[in-house]
Amino acid sequence: MKRIAAILTSMVLVFSLAACGSQQAGTAAGSEAASAAQTSEAASTAQTKTEEQLLAEENDILGANDELWEKVFASMDKNVTQTTLSNNYGDFLMSAVDNAKDQFTEEEYASLKADADKIREIENQIAALPQEDAASQSAAENGSTFPQFEGKDLDGNSVDSSLFANNAFTVVNFWFSGCKPCVDEMDDLDALNQRIKEQGGE
């Protein structure tokens, strides 16, 4: 959005200069065409990005200021509601930054707000992406099937959704190492795991 705003500002400036003479008007027309092509190309590039690429951009934004974001995450209330989860993640981060603003200098606070704003824009792009096949999405929403996935475990071994094939039920907790409340609850989750293993779960 900032790039588009900059291009539009440049176009306004070019148009105002174009009034000074016909030669400048020709230059302005060329600049306008170039700017329009750049805007079109940027829009086309944005449309071709996958959700995975956009999420990687979010991670890069958070990673650039990881020490500041760790402070934000450490101060967060981990008790989130379904409404919170369905909201734009950028808005969620903005609220968390506002709640922890007394821990940061003005520059740090401004930087965190700018990061949250970028993430809000990326989340809007993700929301505009075409949805998956309606049937599989509906099945996942109803909890009738666990989504297929592939990844690496903490030791670097390849894993996929077959990990859960022999479980009567599976509890999945989403967390990351920079979230202090997430790390703090690991002992409780381990104790829960020991109890539910007796019932065929994990």
Side-chain angles (χ1 to χ4, degrees), residues 63-128:
N65 282 324
D66 60 339
E67 289 184 14
L68 296 179
W69 281 109
E70 281 184 25
K71 284 185 182 179
V72 174
F73 293 132
S75 67
M76 271 186 189
D77 178 5
K78 194 160 183 294
N79 297 318
V80 295
T81 64
Q82 187 61 39
T83 304
T84 304
L85 295 173
S86 63
N87 287 344
N88 184 305
Y89 186 51
D91 291 332
F92 174 70
L93 291 176
M94 191 73 77
S95 175
V97 168
D98 284 338
N99 290 337
K101 66 182 175 184
D102 57 342
Q103 299 180 39
F104 304 106
T105 65
E106 286 183 19
E107 285 140 10
E108 290 172 337
Y109 177 64
S111 178
L112 289 167
K113 283 185 71 91
D115 285 354
D117 202 38
K118 288 177 194 171
I119 289 172
R120 179 193 289 132
E121 292 172 13
I122 292 172
E123 287 289 319
N124 288 336
Q125 291 177 44
I126 291 172

Side-chain angles (χ1 to χ4, degrees), residues 14-36:
V14 169
F15 285 137
S16 65
L17 293 173
C20 296
S22 60
Q23 185 178 11
Q24 290 176 338
T27 304
S31 296
E32 179 188 354
S35 294

Side-chain angles (χ1 to χ4, degrees), residues 2-56:
K2 289 181 181 177
R3 186 179 298 153
I4 292 171
I7 290 170
L8 292 174
T9 304
S10 299
M11 288 174 61
V12 170
L13 180 60
V14 169
F15 285 137
S16 65
L17 293 173
C20 296
S22 60
Q23 185 178 11
Q24 290 176 338
T27 304
S31 296
E32 179 188 354
S35 294
Q38 289 173 350
T39 303
S40 174
E41 183 181 336
S44 174
T45 302
Q47 289 174 353
T48 59
K49 287 183 180 175
T50 64
E51 182 174 358
E52 187 175 277
Q53 290 169 324
L54 291 168
L55 290 172

